[in-house]
Amino acid sequence: MGFALLGSLGSYVSVRDSHHWNVRFQSFTLKERFVVGFNLAKNFRAYKKFGRVSLCKSEFVDFEERTSPNEVRKEIEQCYELIHRLGRGVVYLGSSRMGPGHPHYSQTLELAREIANLLDCTTWTGAGPGLMDAAIKGAQEAGKAVGGFKIGKEAGEWTTSKFHPYLPSETYLTCRFFSARKHGLVDAAVRSSSSDKTAVVALPGGVGTLDEMFEILALIQLERIGSELPVPFIVMNYDSFYAKLLDFLDDCEDWGTVSKGEVSSLWKICNTNSDALVYMAEFYDLPYSDEQKHVTKSRSARKQVP
């Protein structure tokens, strides 16, 4: 039997009459040994003399990168360093596909601007397009700091890029590992003292947004988010976007998979920007005048008109 490892997986394997073989190979740089086991039927004619072992459908895997905890650890440390430099604040999770022409984009831009002014903190996002971009621009309109954890390719994009189109390179990190990106998005909302004003704001979104939402929700539920103080978690239910999801969670209560009132106690559902700003002001005991409320409500009403 022969096995060649030349930079990536997917090499050819000679198959002989055997039920099980282990293939041992060694990383050239990490000096780590790995074993791959094969269960093969005796005289398996379909492969004839040679069979190909495919370990990835669409692309080869950089084996060293995928198996090195040091690379992941290094990237997580870079996330923490960026947060330490820019400061913790409000983390926005949301769709990469809802662009400037979508009503939720303008609502998000306004929300991020008003929250940045109210809390005077850094705005954090996944540094992608769509509603993440709206949150960035809202914070910039307020003249507040912005930070981000970018990933090479967002859902709906056809090409990868390590660079943000307009943010300064020192304000964001392009992550290779989703685990590191998630660590960054969570840590950016951690409150270590009463002076820290942070929050998590879940905007309308798809699979990636839901993944991040429920991971953070579980951390809060299990008191594993790493924050000494409570962190407000707001779900923006623009145009009843999350209505069916909330109905499903109610059904989970009926089935007994979550306790009655458990999920609703962990986050705040807000239908308008005004609702979110009032809640944030009350949470941090900050002044928010009736005039400000009226202006925000008026703006939100105008933007909801088709």
Side-chain angles (χ1 to χ4, degrees):
M1 178 178 183
F3 190 95
L5 179 69
L6 299 176
S8 61
L9 299 181
S11 301
Y12 283 86
V13 180
S14 174
V15 180
R16 298 178 183 172
D17 294 344
S18 176
H19 294 283
H20 179 87
W21 277 2
N22 287 333
V23 180
R24 293 178 174 84
F25 54 94
Q26 180 170 328
S27 166
F28 296 117
T29 58
L30 296 181
K31 297 182 179 180
E32 297 175 350
R33 296 175 183 270
F34 307 94
V35 178
V36 176
F38 297 91
N39 286 304
L40 301 172
K42 191 173 183 180
N43 296 321
F44 189 49
R45 296 179 180 179
Y47 283 96
K48 296 183 179 179
K49 185 178 181 181
F50 291 94
R52 181 165 183 171
V53 179
S54 177
L55 298 180
C56 184
K57 289 183 179 180
S58 60
E59 60 184 41
F60 291 121
V61 177
D62 186 327
F63 197 83
E64 176 183 340
E65 178 179 295
R66 284 296 191 185
T67 57
S68 172
N70 293 327
E71 291 298 313
V72 180
R73 187 182 302 113
K74 179 181 177 181
E75 193 162 278
I76 292 173
E77 289 173 353
Q78 290 174 333
C79 291
Y80 289 165
E81 289 169 2
L82 183 63
I83 294 167
H84 179 74
R85 182 155 45 83
L86 298 181
R88 293 186 170 104
V90 178
V91 175
Y92 291 86
L93 315 172
S95 172
S96 63
R97 305 179 193 234
M98 293 179 173
H102 198 286
H104 294 170
Y105 184 97
S106 57
Q107 288 173 294
T108 297
L109 190 152
E110 177 192 63
L111 178 66
R113 182 184 65 238
E114 297 303 319
I115 288 180
N117 280 324
L118 180 67
L119 302 187
D120 190 24
C121 65
T122 303
T123 292
W124 290 94
T125 72
L131 300 189
M132 292 177 281
D133 181 64
I136 292 170
K137 289 182 176 174
Q140 288 182 328
E141 285 187 8
K144 306 299 180 181
V146 172
F149 301 104
K150 192 181 183 310
I151 202 73
K153 182 170 67 174
E154 293 285 351
E157 293 186 335
W158 292 101
T159 58
T160 61
S161 174
K162 295 183 178 180
F163 305 103
H164 191 276
Y166 59 84
L167 282 179
S169 59
E170 66 273 14
T171 63
Y172 70 94
L173 175 68
T174 300
C175 299
R176 289 180 296 161
F177 303 99
F178 269 98
S179 55
R181 188 194 200 195
K182 288 182 176 181
H183 271 280
L185 290 171
V186 170
D187 190 73
V190 167
R191 294 179 66 208
S192 56
S193 72
S194 58
S195 62
D196 290 334
K197 295 180 177 61
T198 71
V200 176
V201 178
L203 303 157
V207 173
T209 301
L210 291 170
D211 172 41
E212 294 160 351
M213 281 175 62
F214 279 94
E215 180 163 353
I216 292 176
L217 185 69
L219 291 173
I220 294 174
Q221 177 194 39
L222 301 175
E223 298 181 351
R224 300 289 295 179
I225 198 169
S227 181
E228 298 177 8
L229 297 167
V231 176
F233 188 176
I234 296 175
V235 176
M236 297 308 302
N237 191 32
Y238 293 143
D239 301 318
S240 301
F241 182 88
Y242 284 116
K244 292 184 178 180
L245 174 64
L246 299 174
D247 289 342
F248 167 73
L249 293 173
D250 288 340
D251 290 340
C252 288
E253 290 187 0
D254 295 336
W255 283 102
T257 54
V258 296
S259 300
K260 292 287 185 182
E262 181 179 15
V263 174
S264 61
S265 69
L266 301 175
W267 58 21
K268 174 68 174 178
I269 308 300
C270 295
N271 295 317
T272 66
N273 288 349
S274 179
D275 292 343
L277 290 163
V278 168
Y279 173 74
M280 201 78 79
E282 291 176 350
F283 188 95
Y284 286 112
D285 194 23
L286 297 171
Y288 190 64
S289 67
D290 291 337
E291 182 180 353
Q292 288 174 296
K293 296 176 187 176
H294 177 72
V295 170
T296 303
K297 283 183 179 180
S298 300
R299 287 174 177 170
S300 297
R302 286 198 300 270
K303 288 172 182 176
Q304 288 177 1
V305 174

